[in-house]
Amino acid sequence: MELIKKIRISFSYCNSHYLCSICIFINFHSLLLFQVSALKQCLCDQFELHNYIKWEQLRNILQRYLSNLLLYRSLFIKFFDFNYCCLNIYYMQYIIHASVQEYIQDVLLSVYICCLCDSKIITFIPFYVDGYGVTYPMESTNCLYNMRLDRRSYDLQITLCYYLPIWVSFLYNLTIITLVVRRILKHITDFKNKTQVFGLLLYPTILFICWVIVILLQLSCSLAQFNNLTHNQLFSNTYPSFSVTYLVYWMLCVIALLRYLQKLELMDANQNIKMIYLKVILRPKLANNQLKQLIHNNCEYYLINNIKLLSQYNIIEMSSSQDLVKCSFNPDDMGQLLYKENYHKWIKVQELIAKDPISQNNVADYGQSRDKLYEIYCKKAYKLHKLLNYSDEMIPGMVNSQFPETVVTVLHQTMFIPTIKYLGTEKQIEKWIPPSLNYEIVGCYAQTELGHGSDVQSLETTAVYDKNTEEFILNSPTISSTKWWIGDLGLTATHAVTHAQLYINGKHYGVQTFIVQVRDTHTHLPLKGIEVGDVGPKYGYNTKDNGYLRMNNVRIPREQMLMRYSKVSKAGEFIKAQNEKIGYATMMQVRTSIIFNTYVSLAQGLAIGVKYSHFRRQFKDKNGIERPIIDYQTQQDKLIPLVADCYAQGFGCLRIKEILTENLKRINEKNDFSLMGDLHALLCCCKAIYTWNTHFGLDKIRQSLGGHGFLQSSGVVSIQTEFSPSCTYEGENTVLLLQTGRYLLKACNKAQKNQPINENVEYLYNIQQTLQQKATFTRSEQLLCPEIIRKLMRLHAAFYVNKMMLKMMEKAGEYGPKEAWNKHVGVSITEASVAHTYYWTFKTFLDTLIKVQDENIRSVLSNLCCLYGLQRIIDWPIGYFEGGFLNGEQLEIILNAKEYIFTLIKPDLLGLVESFKFNDNALRSDLVDAKPYEKLLQSAKLSSVNNEEYQTKLRSLTKQLREIPKL
Amino acid sequence: MHPTTQMLENARERVTFPIEELTKLIYVNEEIYETFMKAQKIIANEPTIRNHPDYHNWSRKQQIIKSYEKLRIMHQHFNLANAVHWAPLLSIFQGTTPTAVSFAMTVPALRFLGTDEQFNLWGPKFLTMEIVAAYAQTEIGHGSDVQNLETTATYDPQSNDFILHTPSVSAVKFWPGELGFLSNYALVYAKLIFNGKNKGVHPFMVQIRDNFTHKTLKGVTVGDIGPKLGYSTKDNGFLAFDNYRIPLNSMLARYVRIENGQFSRHGNEKISYASMMVSRQLIIFIYPRMAAQALTVAIRYSITRQQFTNDKGVENSVIEYQTQQDKLLPRLATCYGMIFTGIRIMQLVDDNFHRVQKKDFSTLQQSHAILSAIKAYSSQWVVDTTEWCRLSCGGHGYAHYSGIPAVYFDTAPNVTLEGENQVMYLQVARYLLKVLQYAEKNPEKVPFYFSFVLQIKDTLNNKDLSNINTQLGYLLKLSLTIQLIQVGKRIKDLMNTGKTFQQVWNQHVGIHLLSLAQRYAEYFIYLVFQEYISNANQSVKDILQSLCDLYCVQTILDNSSTLIESGQITQEQLKSLNELKIELFTKIKPQAIGLVEAFNFNDNALRTCIGCHDGKPYEYIYDWATKENSVNKVPQAVIDLMGTKIKPKL
């Protein structure tokens, strides 16, 4: 039975990838044309949408879409590398020789053909026909012969480059097919089920038939053309180079075949390493022996590196040990991809924290009262400042995820200092930053009030300018104007960046930012006129002293208004900022770090969840062996989609950081605010969607760990409670989605007028035509191509934005715009923002993965990317259906594809969470220990309520209970 | 009058149905209503145990001491022998009821699995608190999978007693509530080894602490397992035995017996399910009421909280925003369904008990299936709803003074305790497939609440969905039917490819089985909802029907993929469902305050500052933060930190 299974696997493997790629590869022309048409289809899409783009820009588009070709390569995952270089050659040729008219001809033609065909195999034939039948005169489509040839050289070239290769390749294919059939026949006795044999033979048969058709067509065409064509073209110097390329290909091909056969034999000899070898053979860089070794090592990376750990886990003897061996990529490389230039810093910071006795995590801290905890974390904050360089902007973000509670003074680093840096003048920066870094003062960011959170314009605190003393007088006029929720303010801060409505001579100038000292820097007592304290215990965040602040005629000097943009002169003149949005600059920074945190928190949860699911075993199978719970589909369904989400959010965050840096650069260097709006919309919706996703994801992970997940010592609990405020702070999620909605609505209007809009919302151009499209896939394997999913999600986003716009137009007529916005269209607006976010995230994921060089990593990322998209569709299919993009059967295909992707990802799961690069201290979980049960018990015994003194007290209480009179 | 109080009063005036009629429905009968009200009153009036936000500033140690105080007062006022009598306390306290496990799990187990002599020996002592006994089943290594427990009880024929032993770390009992320090006995589930043979897992009543000193006995290791997500006062514990001898009488012997050195089985073991049923039924009955508390807070706060101005320059109540309604109203509608279902299930389980005691097992399986489905569905729903209520209150929801986080912490464990939800669902799915077979072979065996399997043909052929808004229940049934047929077919197909049933079940259809069981739970709630509507007083029929409709619409829209996939529903129909939902929002929104206040929670039970009866959210929280928040003394540590003037490394 086992043997059958293995053979089947190996054959389905070579069926789908190896054979396929060899055939295509030998079929050089068809391959090329296939790729070309693919390229053209992309271009064509672009065309419809951007018909306003000038012809000169075509070249740029081509350039951009060439990168998409990589994607098509991922269709044939185990592809040979040289097809890439041949494409490059082709591309160069094309750019040099093709004129625009020819180009359009090609586009139309190939689109027509693309529509005809959908499935992988059949695809090659029409393209073949395309290449040899329809446009044979080689003028337009076939750029290889885009030069003028004379008759003789033409004949020579035709013979050498066309017919010879084709015939040889035909024979070659025949050989391959025969060999495969022979192998199948050799093992045919092993197959008891007839359908299996039939299935195995089906593929070679189809291939064979296809080839016969192709060859016949080819033959007839070529005969006809030989007779009819006249040639007076000149020879071009590119011709010889192509012949050479050809010859090289042939040789390589033969080598590949020989190796393949050799390995097939080897496989029989050693069943255990069969899969590994199969993978090795299929690697593109096969020709080089050294590379081969490298790939081999990669395959076994997990085994070699973790063999000790695994044997402790008892995992090594169990069935899934094969899974571990199969981890197909090097987690270190993946880690580099996730953290980019901060990779080493990330590891180093964790090491430093774990090594230090004060900063490292300790089980005994759980369950302490809040004041005690606060003390512990003050000490940690102090120690961390000694250990790490806090003037590095990356450090606070990295540090905060390492502890079960927040470290005191986080807001000082992430809000107070950056606000001054971005909104302060040079002089102010010089004055305030050094003492802040020195801890002579500790700051906080006082914006939210009791009555108003998201709605900044309605804040009630006032700052009145007094010309005589050159001071501002700050007041909290009502109870609801009390500053509330301000992190680090309750017990710690000495200063607060405070937002207040500015009045000069009774005139109102909007919300401005001030530095207010709230406590004495020596005695730490509140200053005169200031009432300050902690708001109370919360869901989590026990050490965070969220505070309140009331000011009664507090006077501060004029220099303490942050005046980089808006200014107040001595005489009381107000100079308005050029761009009011500048105040949001710090908010943006913080939202970006929240988005980073959605990734880190989810990753931590997953690292615990996935590792423990491989360890924990429940229910016996038929051999009487208990199975690790990760083998159960229901458990996979809880964890694997979240892994995909986690990567999506990670890459999304990297992209946002890039845009943020770009934005700040533009503002600082050129005073250019053009990116601000786009970035703001993006931050809003990503913050909302990612925080929700991580929040509910962590809850799911915790539940997937069964009872033990509920323990503090599982680690997940503190990650969850620490994370949960993210959904409401720094902009309540729903409000943020409404803001993105507003942006989308604006973009939609612009698009209708054909004005330029950001590339993220390009789908809004020609939205009505776009919405006519439909998904055409018919088999679940097609959904392994992210491009198909991307298009679907693009339609989905367009659909919801369109729906929102129509609804808004309808209701605005009825109720007036503001009323309609608030009371009647809210749900549609959030839907549009959500759909947009999903599409953007998916697209970013895709853009990231096609740039990855390492084949192994790219293929696993491609699967994750697809899963991310599919899960979104499955969770929320209504729009796809309502818009008519999908039908019921296709939805079912999607469900099947998801289950199939699970099987592809499962072997790499441990590797995928390993790539997050957390050390044990950062995960603070007993469940990832080498011996989780022992560790759980040990932590339990350390629990503070188990000490003898306390127990004695409880015993006496229990005794008293027994003595009270009962009803 | 304070403006926010005025706003609430205005909202109350707009309620058009008689609230007390709903209150009657919610609390079943006078007795239950009175107990609930009495419990609320007692706790509110007892200064030492009143709910107070500062409670959450304390360390676990302090909170536990407080819970002893609660237990003392509880014992003075309530009859703990009757679950109905003390169950309300579960939903009103901060923290959990300290002896809930002992009474809701161990006592029933003792009654159903022990002989009458055994019950008479131990039972009365529970009432006087002479015995508090934990229910020690779960081990570190095994939870849901009872048959694979590792603790052994070896019968020693020489001395005619058992030797309890914990052979490995994974066999240590872990998680049983009240084991940490309260109990002196434990009902231990262990594998019985008789003459070297494994005779299956059986319960043993074991003394673990001394009756007078309350010290741990020799051969026993016991303690608390440490802090958790919530449940901070519950002493979930661990327990290990080192060749610990217990007398022969320890084994609960109604169904298995060792007499004269012979092992024998008696009667039907199915009955042992019955003891689990009590606690599950309590979970279903009580906890949706805690979600109702969260909803009360969220809806009152949404009325008083104002954000963003409208066209007239006046700030809107956030309840006016469609997005806010979308978060709260469908959950409010479902809440009523859950409450009714909880009551109906209580009746079903009672009925089943009576039958079982007369050795009639005909309703056992279906009760078990319904109970499992609803336990899983409702416990998850309660957690999600509480969470959304919290999120709907913005930042203030996050603070303990809103009252909502405490509800979340006290309900979150229900998802995994008493049968992990997923395992529950799988059992339901198994039963549904069985019922499907009944429908083909002997339709008379199909129980009432599963009769949809007899109408499969009708359901599938009824293509008339012209007026979809009146056929919401039908859509739920349709969705369930299709799912059931598809799963059945999928299993058959996969088994035809040579896989074993077990393989298929574990590795290939898990996701589908879960969704099947969920569809059933949804449909069951709908059925009960309809029953209630048809029996209800005319004056509330209308509002209940709207709630039921909203429940159905939301459920259908949330899980529309089955209907879409099978092509049973068109684009226009989906659209009209969406419109219906919005229509229902406008209908229910003005009634929302009445709907939550029908529960009659007082402010103390809601443990809230932002959702009080008279509004004034900001005043209340400001008062409490400035006057009663105990952390507001400046700790020395800050001053230490500030004085140090750290030089950063550059």
Side-chain angles (χ1 to χ4, degrees), chain A residues 366-370 374-375 382 386-387 389 391 438 440 442 450-453 455 484-485 491 524 531 533-541 548 550 616 618-620 626-627 632-634 637-638 692 695-696 699 702-703 707-708 710-712 717 720-721 724-725 727-728 732 734 818-819 822-827 878 881-882 888 892 895-896 899 933-934 940-941 943-946 950 953-955 957-959 961-962 966-967, chain B residues 53 56-61 64 68 71 75 78-79 128-129 140-143 145 148 169-170 174-175 181 184 211-214 224-230 238 305 307-309 311 315-316 321-323 327 380 387-388 390-391 394-396 398-401 408-409 413 415 422 490 502 506-512 557 560 564-565 569 571 574 618 621-622 624-626 629 631-632 637-638 641-642 644-646 648-650:
Chain A
Y366 293 124
Q368 298 284 8
S369 65
R370 270 188 76 213
Y374 179 72
E375 247 177 78
Y382 174 64
K386 284 178 130 182
L387 285 174
N389 175 10
S391 58
N438 264 344
E440 280 162 41
V442 176
L450 202 40
H452 292 94
D455 185 3
W484 199 266
W485 278 121
L491 306 171
H524 208 67
E531 200 184 332
D534 176 273
V535 301
K538 290 140 293 186
Y539 183 98
Y541 258 41
Y548 62 87
R550 288 187 59 76
R616 173 86 167 177
Q618 291 284 286
F619 296 105
K620 287 182 177 149
E626 287 182 290
R627 307 180 63 90
Y632 295 95
Q633 200 189 29
T634 44
D637 193 37
K638 285 178 191 163
W692 269 331
H695 176 61
F696 291 107
D699 202 41
R702 179 181 66 70
Q703 290 180 17
H708 297 327
F710 196 64
L711 268 176
Q712 286 275 13
V717 170
Q720 191 188 357
T721 48
S724 51
C727 299
T728 46
E732 200 275 330
T734 309
K818 209 160 186 180
E819 179 95 356
N822 289 338
K823 296 191 183 171
H824 301 280
V825 202
V827 175
I878 296 180
F881 180 64
E882 228 180 286
E892 198 176 347
L895 283 170
N896 290 336
E899 284 168 32
Y933 295 155
E934 277 85 344
K941 286 178 182 165
S943 169
S944 60
V945 294
N946 281 332
Y950 187 66
K953 194 170 175 185
L954 288 182
R955 276 183 212 125
L957 281 173
T958 317
K959 249 183 172 169
L961 270 182
R962 300 224 170 104
K966 311 289 164 3
L967 193 77
Chain B
H56 299 282
N57 271 332
W58 303 347
S59 69
R60 213 180 142 221
K61 284 181 177 175
I64 289 169
Y68 272 86
L71 191 57
H75 268 262
F78 296 97
N79 171 11
T128 57
M129 295 263 315
I140 290 196
H142 293 95
D145 187 2
N148 287 323
V169 175
S170 61
F174 213 73
W175 280 109
F181 33 76
N184 48 358
N211 277 342
F212 297 100
T213 62
H214 205 67
D224 177 272
I225 61 169
K228 290 141 289 188
L229 176 61
F238 60 85
R305 171 83 164 176
Q307 289 284 285
F308 296 104
T309 49
D311 290 337
E315 284 183 304
N316 284 315
Y321 293 96
Q322 208 183 34
T323 45
K327 281 178 197 160
Q380 186 65 53
E387 198 52 10
W388 276 108
R390 171 177 87 73
L391 292 172
H396 293 311
Y398 189 67
H400 271 295
Y401 58 66
Y408 179 81
F409 288 141
V415 176
Q422 188 178 300
R490 192 178 274 261
Q502 181 119 16
N506 288 338
Q507 291 165 28
H508 297 282
V509 290
I511 306 173
H512 307 278
L557 289 176
S560 50
I564 295 177
E565 233 178 272
I569 189 168
Q571 207 171 316
L574 265 183
Y618 306 140
I621 46 183
Y622 184 71
W624 116 255
T626 48
N629 185 4
V631 296
N632 267 332
V638 203
L641 177 70
M642 306 307 299
T644 47
K645 309 263 193 297
I646 307 156
K649 292 196 326 189
L650 288 169

Side-chain angles (χ1 to χ4, degrees), chain B residues 363-488:
Chain B
T363 55
L364 187 68
Q365 272 193 324
Q366 54 154 317
S367 310
H368 176 69
I370 294 174
L371 198 59
S372 305
I374 301 296
K375 187 263 159 184
Y377 194 80
S378 93
S379 59
Q380 186 65 53
W381 175 83
V382 169
V383 177
D384 291 346
T385 300
T386 313
E387 198 52 10
W388 276 108
C389 287
R390 171 177 87 73
L391 292 172
S392 78
C393 291
H396 293 311
Y398 189 67
H400 271 295
Y401 58 66
S402 73
I404 302 176
V407 174
Y408 179 81
F409 288 141
D410 289 342
T411 52
N414 294 331
V415 176
T416 46
L417 61 76
E418 278 317 297
E420 202 267 339
N421 276 0
Q422 188 178 300
V423 177
M424 299 276 93
Y425 277 142
L426 290 177
Q427 290 176 7
V428 179
R430 204 181 280 262
Y431 184 69
L432 282 169
L433 289 168
K434 203 164 154 192
V435 173
L436 183 63
Q437 283 174 354
Y438 285 160
E440 285 159 13
K441 286 168 198 151
N442 28 3
E444 74 284 353
K445 273 177 95 174
V446 174
F448 172 71
Y449 281 113
F450 293 84
S451 53
F452 73 95
V453 293
L454 300 173
Q455 307 150 6
I456 286 180
K457 266 198 190 131
D458 292 346
T459 313
L460 291 179
N461 291 336
N462 179 8
K463 292 278 180 199
D464 178 30
L465 279 175
S466 48
N467 188 0
I468 196 161
N469 295 354
T470 58
Q471 283 176 299
L472 301 168
Y474 165 71
L475 284 176
L476 287 177
K477 181 155 80 169
L478 181 64
S479 179
L480 168 65
T481 308
I482 296 170
Q483 190 86 30
L484 179 60
I485 292 171
Q486 277 178 351
V487 171

Side-chain angles (χ1 to χ4, degrees), chain A residues 27 332 336 352 366 430 446 524 563 603 673 699 787 797 908 911 930 932:
Chain A
N27 246 318
D332 293 338
Q336 303 244 10
L352 283 174
Y366 293 124
E430 218 170 278
H524 208 67
M563 296 208 253
F673 289 88
D699 202 41
E787 182 59 18
D908 287 336

Side-chain angles (χ1 to χ4, degrees), chain B residues 342-355:
Chain B
I343 299 168
R344 187 81 190 89
I345 283 188
M346 203 155 78
Q347 291 155 355
L348 283 178
V349 170
D350 272 354
D351 173 59
N352 180 50
F353 271 171
H354 292 305
R355 285 170 195 262

Side-chain angles (χ1 to χ4, degrees), chain B residues 230-243:
Chain B
Y231 261 38
S232 65
T233 56
K234 177 67 65 191
D235 49 334
N236 297 87
F238 60 85
L239 174 66
F241 299 102
D242 180 17
N243 289 316

